[in-house]
Amino acid sequence: MKIFKLAICLLLCQNLFAQVDKAPAYPLLVHNPYFSVWSFTDDLNASTTRHWTGSNQSLIGLIKVDGKTYRFLGEEEKQMQTLLASAEEKNYECRYTEAEPATGWEKLSFDDNKWKTATAPFSDDEGSAKTLWRSKNIWMRRSFLLNNIPTQKLFLKMHHDDNVQVYLNGEKIYECTCWNDKSQYFPITDVIKNKLRRGKNVLAIHCENTAGGAWLDAGLSTEIPPSAKTMIQLAHQKSVDMNATQTIYQFECGGVNLSVAFTSPLLINDLDILARPVSYISFKTKSNDGKVHDAQIYFGTSTDLAVNLPSQEVTAQQYVSGDLSILKAGTIEQPILKKKGDDIRIDWGYVYVAAPISQKIKQSITGTNAALQNFVSGLPEKNKSTGKSLMLNTIFPSEKAGKDEKEQMLMIGYDNLYEIQYFKQNLRPWWRLQQGATIENVLQQSYTDYKTVLAKCAAVNDMIYHDAFAAGGETYAKLCIIAYRQSLAAHSLVKSPDGELLFFSKENFSNGCINTVDVTYPSAPLYLAYNPELMKGMLNGIFYFCEKSGLYDKNYAAHDLGTYPLANGQVYGEGMPVEESGNMIILTTAIAKAEGNAEYAKKHWQTLTSWVHYLETDGFDPATQLCTDDFAGHLARNANLSVKAIVGIDGYATLADMLGEKTIAEKYHSMAKDMAAKWQQLADAGDHFALTFNDKNTWSQKYNLVWDKIMHLGLFPAEVYNKEVAYYLTKQNTFGLPLDSRKTYTKSDWILWTSALAANQNDFEKLIYPVYKYCTETPTRVPLSDWHETTDGKQVGFQARSVVGGYFIKVLEDKWKK
């Protein structure tokens, strides 16, 4: 009871101070790069919920009040029926040529007998293609027979890379000078649809590969009209509030108020709860007009949470375990750790929906339309055990909603069986390390611990808000709240065969790399501030790869460990020698600062020494190479990269000093200070310091200086920070400070680091407020992108990445002052 009262008290305190009511997207169920469901709109019922990649992973919530049905969560997806299967549904043959064909090639009457016959899809990816396509152009003709002309809306289902023109019986139905990375549906007008005929038809396509990968696959589908939509009203959303671990919505549904809370207990200070792949969803009802109302809640979870593509067949079942009624679903195929890449969703393991038996809920498995129709009309449900895009339905019993608030809850979990492949060995998720652990046990424990976990979440919510508020004020605290869950949920927690904690990031919406060092580097402040063990977990794999794997022989640090979820060695095409060596030494120094000892560095001293030797000879005036901002291209004589090398060298000296190696410490302290003095001369451009040593008509954010300041290294005088900050304040645009003078785009994590150089709160707030404005006004509604345009607030690239953990740099500085 005391724990429950504490949770209520802390939650009430948060309601007074710590609310974030606007974000680019809203985390609902977020645990790791695969189990990550978001709302991409301000109103929870304005769109289908999605995986962070943008693929639909539908959650549907309905409440029936006095016979009227309101939708408070999600939006019914378009239900498609295949007319002409794409290759992701079924292999098909077609005719093609890579030589430009004669005029009229797109027409129904064209003779394609001399073209080659092949099986789709066409691609340059040997692992995925049925037919390899490596030339610049391809023309494809696919003939098909129809017995009847469809009456429903017709859609082209298309995956193309790159530019494409598509014809149906000679009429152009789609054209785009672009590419997409997965199948999408494009509507076909009724005028064009009327060109279909009984008997033979032809889909003709020209695709041009201009750069990068190549792909061509197409089919046709019709839309199944939603049967219950006209009988469902929208609930009125009154508010949305986010704290560190929860997203909470308030609705008005006729005479009943409904509160819906999504709690993903990502407790950075409790690894066992952090690692549990279980989120809570609670529903609280109360009369808003003094009358008593009948209220009944429906919650649906699409089996698309367990597939990479909705065309994949799933199997589902309902059963009872302990105190819980459980729904379970996963693909029939179960290709464990067989896929890797960026825009990929998990298609192995199983999604679970669990609710207490004591709530007297009813659970079933149906198609989406049937689920909604049955709830609205009260018809009995017919269970399905296999199919595509099934709906896992949970219906709570009808209750009387009066003046006293009533709560019901359920849990959604995911068991991915194996989390990561680590140098060819498949690793279980952290929560499975206990002997005899099962997902049923974890769900039961999560249910048993519900009130206790909520109290712990409330404490973390309070800690994150108040630490950030104390460090940087209200606006800064809101930025940290927006960043918290996103950063943690971009990682997976496992243990190596040697017993080391591994905390692997995925380079989301970039190249899909796992454990990228220059993603770890900007993410670090959150983990250094609250749990250095997780920080070590982000470095351990890189140290192992460089020291023990036998697969790496460079004298500088590696860039990554592979493509998520396969951590088998670096896949990035070239190294970032100064960048990654500096990152690893600086972060190892920061761990020593956080822990008050250099024992972690001592374990890796030989490797750190090799890397500092590299920085000693090649770090101060870097040759042409990439840095973490690789999207900006190669750059020589990069002044900010030089700062990283200087700070890394002094960090090594600091570690040597802590380890009692006084001679080594003196040598490298002296070297770093000499370099810092020389840097000020070479980079000086009058009222600021230049982007490169050789061009004084440039400028850049010197975010790497922040480690000198917060670790009190004393390399650069305060005048350097002050001069840079004063100059930055003259260069800001509406949505932030550009990264440098080459472009107007920026990285928001670096702006937060740069803002920490400010000598006063006023300048700090001037630098961070445009970032907050971006977060609350960007027209790009996706999980927070750290790479955006400062002129219009639009996303340039990247989303849902862990690097927003870097927003906590001011919190870290504040903790290290104490």
Side-chain angles (χ1 to χ4, degrees), residues 461-476:
N461 298 341
D462 186 66
M463 174 183 72
I464 294 300
Y465 171 74
H466 283 100
D467 284 356
F469 180 83
E474 181 74 11
T475 298
Y476 176 65

PDB file of all heavy atoms in Angstrom, residues 461-476:
ATOM      1  N   ASN A 461      10.651   8.859 -13.701  1.00  0.00           N
ATOM      2  CA  ASN A 461      10.068  10.040 -14.355  1.00  0.00           C
ATOM      3  C   ASN A 461      10.445  11.303 -13.598  1.00  0.00           C
ATOM      4  O   ASN A 461      10.827  12.325 -14.192  1.00  0.00           O
ATOM      5  CB  ASN A 461       8.542   9.919 -14.403  1.00  0.00           C
ATOM      6  CG  ASN A 461       8.055   8.735 -15.216  1.00  0.00           C
ATOM      7  OD1 ASN A 461       8.787   8.185 -16.032  1.00  0.00           O
ATOM      8  ND2 ASN A 461       6.826   8.321 -14.971  1.00  0.00           N
ATOM      9  N   ASP A 462      10.305  11.231 -12.286  1.00  0.00           N
ATOM     10  CA  ASP A 462      10.620  12.377 -11.431  1.00  0.00           C
ATOM     11  C   ASP A 462      12.111  12.713 -11.514  1.00  0.00           C
ATOM     12  O   ASP A 462      12.498  13.885 -11.618  1.00  0.00           O
ATOM     13  CB  ASP A 462      10.216  12.054 -10.000  1.00  0.00           C
ATOM     14  CG  ASP A 462      10.364  13.244  -9.067  1.00  0.00           C
ATOM     15  OD1 ASP A 462       9.625  14.226  -9.252  1.00  0.00           O
ATOM     16  OD2 ASP A 462      11.221  13.195  -8.173  1.00  0.00           O
ATOM     17  N   MET A 463      12.958  11.698 -11.469  1.00  0.00           N
ATOM     18  CA  MET A 463      14.409  11.902 -11.522  1.00  0.00           C
ATOM     19  C   MET A 463      14.835  12.561 -12.838  1.00  0.00           C
ATOM     20  O   MET A 463      15.603  13.538 -12.845  1.00  0.00           O
ATOM     21  CB  MET A 463      15.119  10.557 -11.367  1.00  0.00           C
ATOM     22  CG  MET A 463      16.628  10.607 -11.548  1.00  0.00           C
ATOM     23  SD  MET A 463      17.370   8.956 -11.433  1.00  0.00           S
ATOM     24  CE  MET A 463      16.842   8.205 -12.986  1.00  0.00           C
ATOM     25  N   ILE A 464      14.330  12.032 -13.948  1.00  0.00           N
ATOM     26  CA  ILE A 464      14.731  12.562 -15.255  1.00  0.00           C
ATOM     27  C   ILE A 464      14.293  14.018 -15.388  1.00  0.00           C
ATOM     28  O   ILE A 464      15.081  14.881 -15.821  1.00  0.00           O
ATOM     29  CB  ILE A 464      14.135  11.708 -16.389  1.00  0.00           C
ATOM     30  CG1 ILE A 464      14.736  10.295 -16.377  1.00  0.00           C
ATOM     31  CG2 ILE A 464      14.353  12.372 -17.745  1.00  0.00           C
ATOM     32  CD1 ILE A 464      16.235  10.228 -16.555  1.00  0.00           C
ATOM     33  N   TYR A 465      13.067  14.297 -14.995  1.00  0.00           N
ATOM     34  CA  TYR A 465      12.588  15.673 -15.123  1.00  0.00           C
ATOM     35  C   TYR A 465      13.357  16.627 -14.217  1.00  0.00           C
ATOM     36  O   TYR A 465      13.861  17.658 -14.657  1.00  0.00           O
ATOM     37  CB  TYR A 465      11.093  15.766 -14.806  1.00  0.00           C
ATOM     38  CG  TYR A 465      10.638  17.209 -14.717  1.00  0.00           C
ATOM     39  CD1 TYR A 465      10.492  17.972 -15.875  1.00  0.00           C
ATOM     40  CD2 TYR A 465      10.429  17.811 -13.495  1.00  0.00           C
ATOM     41  CE1 TYR A 465      10.120  19.299 -15.805  1.00  0.00           C
ATOM     42  CE2 TYR A 465      10.049  19.145 -13.411  1.00  0.00           C
ATOM     43  CZ  TYR A 465       9.903  19.892 -14.569  1.00  0.00           C
ATOM     44  OH  TYR A 465       9.551  21.212 -14.502  1.00  0.00           O
ATOM     45  N   HIS A 466      13.460  16.288 -12.953  1.00  0.00           N
ATOM     46  CA  HIS A 466      14.043  17.230 -12.007  1.00  0.00           C
ATOM     47  C   HIS A 466      15.551  17.409 -12.220  1.00  0.00           C
ATOM     48  O   HIS A 466      16.080  18.512 -12.052  1.00  0.00           O
ATOM     49  CB  HIS A 466      13.727  16.818 -10.572  1.00  0.00           C
ATOM     50  CG  HIS A 466      12.318  17.150 -10.184  1.00  0.00           C
ATOM     51  ND1 HIS A 466      11.317  16.216 -10.177  1.00  0.00           N
ATOM     52  CD2 HIS A 466      11.737  18.329  -9.839  1.00  0.00           C
ATOM     53  CE1 HIS A 466      10.174  16.803  -9.819  1.00  0.00           C
ATOM     54  NE2 HIS A 466      10.401  18.080  -9.615  1.00  0.00           N
ATOM     55  N   ASP A 467      16.249  16.352 -12.610  1.00  0.00           N
ATOM     56  CA  ASP A 467      17.677  16.505 -12.928  1.00  0.00           C
ATOM     57  C   ASP A 467      17.861  17.439 -14.124  1.00  0.00           C
ATOM     58  O   ASP A 467      18.741  18.310 -14.119  1.00  0.00           O
ATOM     59  CB  ASP A 467      18.306  15.147 -13.244  1.00  0.00           C
ATOM     60  CG  ASP A 467      18.552  14.311 -11.993  1.00  0.00           C
ATOM     61  OD1 ASP A 467      18.315  14.805 -10.878  1.00  0.00           O
ATOM     62  OD2 ASP A 467      18.987  13.151 -12.145  1.00  0.00           O
ATOM     63  N   ALA A 468      17.035  17.250 -15.148  1.00  0.00           N
ATOM     64  CA  ALA A 468      17.154  18.092 -16.341  1.00  0.00           C
ATOM     65  C   ALA A 468      16.730  19.527 -16.045  1.00  0.00           C
ATOM     66  O   ALA A 468      17.361  20.486 -16.516  1.00  0.00           O
ATOM     67  CB  ALA A 468      16.324  17.512 -17.480  1.00  0.00           C
ATOM     68  N   PHE A 469      15.680  19.680 -15.270  1.00  0.00           N
ATOM     69  CA  PHE A 469      15.220  21.021 -14.913  1.00  0.00           C
ATOM     70  C   PHE A 469      16.290  21.762 -14.114  1.00  0.00           C
ATOM     71  O   PHE A 469      16.583  22.936 -14.371  1.00  0.00           O
ATOM     72  CB  PHE A 469      13.929  20.942 -14.105  1.00  0.00           C
ATOM     73  CG  PHE A 469      13.382  22.288 -13.706  1.00  0.00           C
ATOM     74  CD1 PHE A 469      12.607  23.024 -14.593  1.00  0.00           C
ATOM     75  CD2 PHE A 469      13.660  22.824 -12.459  1.00  0.00           C
ATOM     76  CE1 PHE A 469      12.121  24.276 -14.234  1.00  0.00           C
ATOM     77  CE2 PHE A 469      13.173  24.066 -12.090  1.00  0.00           C
ATOM     78  CZ  PHE A 469      12.401  24.793 -12.980  1.00  0.00           C
ATOM     79  N   ALA A 470      16.907  21.074 -13.161  1.00  0.00           N
ATOM     80  CA  ALA A 470      17.946  21.699 -12.349  1.00  0.00           C
ATOM     81  C   ALA A 470      19.161  22.075 -13.196  1.00  0.00           C
ATOM     82  O   ALA A 470      19.811  23.100 -12.945  1.00  0.00           O
ATOM     83  CB  ALA A 470      18.365  20.756 -11.225  1.00  0.00           C
ATOM     84  N   ALA A 471      19.448  21.260 -14.208  1.00  0.00           N
ATOM     85  CA  ALA A 471      20.623  21.516 -15.040  1.00  0.00           C
ATOM     86  C   ALA A 471      20.386  22.609 -16.066  1.00  0.00           C
ATOM     87  O   ALA A 471      21.299  23.396 -16.356  1.00  0.00           O
ATOM     88  CB  ALA A 471      21.047  20.232 -15.753  1.00  0.00           C
ATOM     89  N   GLY A 472      19.177  22.675 -16.636  1.00  0.00           N
ATOM     90  CA  GLY A 472      18.997  23.579 -17.763  1.00  0.00           C
ATOM     91  C   GLY A 472      17.660  24.264 -17.890  1.00  0.00           C
ATOM     92  O   GLY A 472      17.435  24.984 -18.867  1.00  0.00           O
ATOM     93  N   GLY A 473      16.717  24.030 -16.971  1.00  0.00           N
ATOM     94  CA  GLY A 473      15.435  24.706 -17.042  1.00  0.00           C
ATOM     95  C   GLY A 473      14.343  23.878 -17.684  1.00  0.00           C
ATOM     96  O   GLY A 473      14.549  22.733 -18.106  1.00  0.00           O
ATOM     97  N   GLU A 474      13.139  24.459 -17.767  1.00  0.00           N
ATOM     98  CA  GLU A 474      11.939  23.741 -18.200  1.00  0.00           C
ATOM     99  C   GLU A 474      12.027  23.257 -19.649  1.00  0.00           C
ATOM    100  O   GLU A 474      11.702  22.107 -19.949  1.00  0.00           O
ATOM    101  CB  GLU A 474      10.713  24.645 -18.015  1.00  0.00           C
ATOM    102  CG  GLU A 474       9.402  24.009 -18.417  1.00  0.00           C
ATOM    103  CD  GLU A 474       8.907  22.962 -17.434  1.00  0.00           C
ATOM    104  OE1 GLU A 474       9.464  22.863 -16.319  1.00  0.00           O
ATOM    105  OE2 GLU A 474       7.959  22.242 -17.777  1.00  0.00           O
ATOM    106  N   THR A 475      12.433  24.134 -20.552  1.00  0.00           N
ATOM    107  CA  THR A 475      12.516  23.737 -21.964  1.00  0.00           C
ATOM    108  C   THR A 475      13.508  22.594 -22.135  1.00  0.00           C
ATOM    109  O   THR A 475      13.243  21.623 -22.862  1.00  0.00           O
ATOM    110  CB  THR A 475      12.930  24.933 -22.843  1.00  0.00           C
ATOM    111  OG1 THR A 475      11.932  25.949 -22.726  1.00  0.00           O
ATOM    112  CG2 THR A 475      13.062  24.528 -24.300  1.00  0.00           C
ATOM    113  N   TYR A 476      14.625  22.702 -21.495  1.00  0.00           N
ATOM    114  CA  TYR A 476      15.636  21.643 -21.570  1.00  0.00           C
ATOM    115  C   TYR A 476      15.085  20.332 -21.003  1.00  0.00           C
ATOM    116  O   TYR A 476      15.296  19.253 -21.588  1.00  0.00           O
ATOM    117  CB  TYR A 476      16.892  22.064 -20.819  1.00  0.00           C
ATOM    118  CG  TYR A 476      17.950  20.992 -20.777  1.00  0.00           C
ATOM    119  CD1 TYR A 476      18.572  20.548 -21.944  1.00  0.00           C
ATOM    120  CD2 TYR A 476      18.328  20.403 -19.569  1.00  0.00           C
ATOM    121  CE1 TYR A 476      19.538  19.546 -21.909  1.00  0.00           C
ATOM    122  CE2 TYR A 476      19.290  19.407 -19.525  1.00  0.00           C
ATOM    123  CZ  TYR A 476      19.892  18.985 -20.698  1.00  0.00           C
ATOM    124  OH  TYR A 476      20.840  17.992 -20.662  1.00  0.00           O
TER     125      TYR A 476
END
